[in-house]
């Protein structure tokens, strides 16, 4: 059930059989979530953290005028709110973009895990540090990259993150967003987003249609985006 | 909610909207078009180009054009002229 979390961690460090067993005991109780459902609301008290098993979710914040910024995307194997373990409530909402499956880790179990398994604790800490690194890269995109480079960068990032957990087929992957939601990731209106997608298509770099991203020229896409996977920490090293 | 399509015609050609966006009513669709023109033009302006020769065609689910919004409609334009002072 939590194999994609193992895949994600094993890229970065060794995971012992005992540590895998502990994670299996900690993350339990599978649940289904329909698409477009807010699963965590800002301010709500938290007593457990959620692991995404299947599907796509996002973190978002919005303004009173209805404008919404998606600040992160979550792929299977990601915790949605491991930061909630120490924060105890969130400053943002979490929503499912597609039908999802999730599992829960009670904070009381996580407390025991942190007391008894220091290396595993550091690995979980690593995942929240990785979330922060991804946030910084999105900040660079939103502040400085052009619209087309921003979209290209997002497609490169998801290609890497989904590849690790076995969700890239050939050069394509499922990306079940509509153009409004993609625009909310990129800080653009859906109409502007559509125009940017046209540019990627015409330059034969990537296409996004019907919830599927097809990468036609990965090197070209990475060059346009100035994508450097270093911020995803894809190296295995003792942590 | 009805679905509206926003086809963009401008300097670099025609960008058809094949997916469309669900919005409350035509007034919301109009706001979306104005917002989108501002968003696209501001990005071009950052690259040093100001080309207001274009429009968005708002089309309903039955492929009926509801309104064409020329880019200049999204802006209050003040161009430099002879000064009186």
């Amino acid at each position: 059930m939590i194999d994609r979390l193992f895949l994600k961690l094993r890229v970065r460090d060794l995971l012992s059989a005992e540590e895998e067993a502990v994670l299996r005991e900690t993350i339990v109780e599978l649940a289904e979530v329909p698409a477009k459902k807010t699963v965590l609301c800002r301010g709500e008290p938290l007593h457990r953290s959620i692991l995404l098993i299947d599907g796509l979710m996002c973190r978002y914040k919005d303004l009173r005028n209805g404008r919404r910024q998606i600040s992160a995307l979550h792929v299977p194997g990601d915790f949605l709110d491991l930061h909630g373990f120490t924060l105890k409530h969130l400053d943002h909402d979490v929503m499912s973009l597609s039908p999802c499956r999730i599992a829960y880790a009670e904070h009381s179990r996580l407390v025991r895990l942190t007391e008894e398994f220091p290396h595993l604790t550091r690995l979980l800490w690593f995942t929240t540090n990785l979330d922060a690194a991804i946030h910084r890269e999105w900040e660079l995109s939103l502040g400085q990259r052009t619209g087309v480079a921003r979209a290209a960068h997002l497609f490169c990032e998801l290609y890497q993150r989904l590849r690790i957990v076995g969700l890239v087929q050939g050069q394509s992957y499922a990306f079940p967003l509509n153009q409004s939601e993609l625009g909310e990731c990129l800080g653009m209106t859906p109409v502007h987003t559509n125009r940017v997608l046209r540019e990627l298509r015409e330059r034969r770099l990537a296409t996004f249609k019907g919830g599927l991203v097809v990468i036609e020229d990965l090197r070209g896409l990475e060059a346009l985006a100035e994508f450097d996977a270093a911020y995803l920490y894809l190296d295995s090293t003792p942590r | 909610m009805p679905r509206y399509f926003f086809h963009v015609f401008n300097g670099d050609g025609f960008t058809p909207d094949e997916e469309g966006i669900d919005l409350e009513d035509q007034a919301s669709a109009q706001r979306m078009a104005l917002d989108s023109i501002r968003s696209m033009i501001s990005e071009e302006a950052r690259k040093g180009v100001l080309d207001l020769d274009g429009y968005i065609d708002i089309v309903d689910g039955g492929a009926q054009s509801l309104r064409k919004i020329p880019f200049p409609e999204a802006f209050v334009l003040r161009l430099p002229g002879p000064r009186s002072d």
Side-chain angles (χ1 to χ4, degrees):
Chain A
M1 182 175 85
I2 62 171
D3 292 0
R4 292 205 169 103
L5 172 63
F6 296 158
L7 289 172
K8 175 180 173 172
L9 295 177
R10 280 196 212 112
V11 168
R12 276 74 180 220
D13 197 359
L14 299 173
L15 195 60
S16 72
E18 189 189 21
E19 288 170 330
E20 284 189 15
V22 170
L23 284 173
R24 279 189 213 280
E25 284 161 24
T26 305
I27 305 165
V28 292
E29 201 192 321
L30 194 65
E32 310 257 336
V33 180
K36 322 292 179 201
K37 186 174 172 4
T38 296
V39 292
L40 290 166
C41 295
R42 70 184 84 172
E44 166 190 334
L46 299 175
H47 56 89
R48 59 190 184 180
S49 291
I50 302 178
L51 181 76
L52 183 59
I53 306 288
D54 276 316
L56 194 68
M57 290 217 191
C58 66
R59 294 180 186 166
Y60 71 90
K61 299 188 88 151
D62 50 14
L63 294 174
R64 259 184 237 117
N65 64 11
R67 283 184 192 248
R68 182 162 68 173
Q69 180 65 47
I70 292 179
S71 61
L73 290 171
H74 294 295
V75 303
D78 289 350
F79 274 99
L80 306 174
D81 61 339
L82 193 56
H83 52 315
F85 174 47
T86 56
L87 296 173
K88 296 303 173 196
H89 64 265
L90 301 181
D91 53 87
H92 59 87
D93 297 331
V94 177
M95 182 182 85
S96 59
L97 292 161
S98 69
C100 290
R101 290 197 309 152
I102 56 175
Y104 299 101
E106 292 293 330
H107 286 179
S108 55
R109 284 173 187 249
L110 286 172
V111 167
R112 262 207 316 280
L113 184 156
T114 59
E115 286 166 355
E116 292 169 20
F117 298 92
H119 175 250
L120 188 52
T121 299
R122 292 196 297 275
L123 283 186
L124 294 181
W125 184 6
F126 166 86
T127 67
T128 63
N129 288 338
L130 177 62
D131 284 349
I134 294 172
H135 280 310
R136 284 190 290 277
E137 195 64 37
W138 280 44
E139 206 175 315
L140 177 63
S141 270
L142 290 166
Q144 303 301 337
R145 284 192 174 93
T146 62
V148 69
R150 223 179 287 166
H153 197 277
L154 183 63
F155 291 161
C156 290
E157 175 182 308
L158 284 162
Y159 176 82
Q160 294 297 339
R161 291 172 63 192
L162 289 167
R163 187 181 55 80
I164 291 167
V165 293
L167 291 171
V168 170
Q169 286 86 34
Q171 291 295 359
S172 69
Y173 54 83
F175 191 46
L177 271 71
N178 59 37
Q179 62 189 15
S180 300
E181 292 158 343
L182 179 58
E184 286 170 346
C185 295
L186 302 175
M188 298 189 288
T189 70
V191 181
H192 191 173
T193 303
N194 188 32
R195 212 169 70 126
V196 158
L197 291 172
R198 181 192 136 193
E199 188 174 339
L200 288 181
R201 195 165 57 234
E202 285 182 350
R203 290 167 76 165
R204 299 192 179 283
L205 296 173
T207 62
F208 169 62
K209 204 175 173 183
L212 189 76
V213 170
V214 180
I215 294 178
E216 294 183 46
D217 174 2
L218 184 61
R219 293 287 159 262
L221 197 65
E222 288 176 344
L224 170 65
E226 291 188 41
F227 179 81
D228 177 354
Y231 76 100
L232 295 174
Y233 297 86
L234 298 168
D235 56 314
S236 182
T237 189
R239 297 186 194 274
Chain B
M1 280 198 285
R3 180 161 295 193
Y4 297 90
F5 296 81
F6 298 83
H7 304 313
V8 182
F9 297 81
N10 73 335
D12 47 46
F14 168 49
T15 308
D17 177 3
E18 288 166 15
E19 187 180 303
I21 305 156
D22 296 333
L23 292 166
E24 216 128 288
D25 51 26
Q26 198 172 325
S28 313
Q30 215 154 301
R31 275 198 300 277
M32 171 63 78
L34 291 172
D35 218 22
S36 298
I37 293 167
R38 289 172 190 143
S39 164
M40 290 184 290
I41 294 297
S42 58
E43 179 162 329
E44 283 186 2
R46 271 181 87 171
K47 295 180 197 160
V49 181
L50 193 54
D51 179 3
L52 294 179
D53 185 13
Y55 63 92
I56 287 185
D57 191 8
I58 307 175
V59 171
D60 69 11
Q64 183 76 41
S65 173
L66 301 172
R67 196 163 180 289
K68 288 186 173 63
I69 302 194
F71 285 1
E73 216 172 281
F75 302 99
V76 176
L77 283 178
R78 277 192 217 101
L79 296 170
R83 288 186 179 274
S84 54
D85 54 9

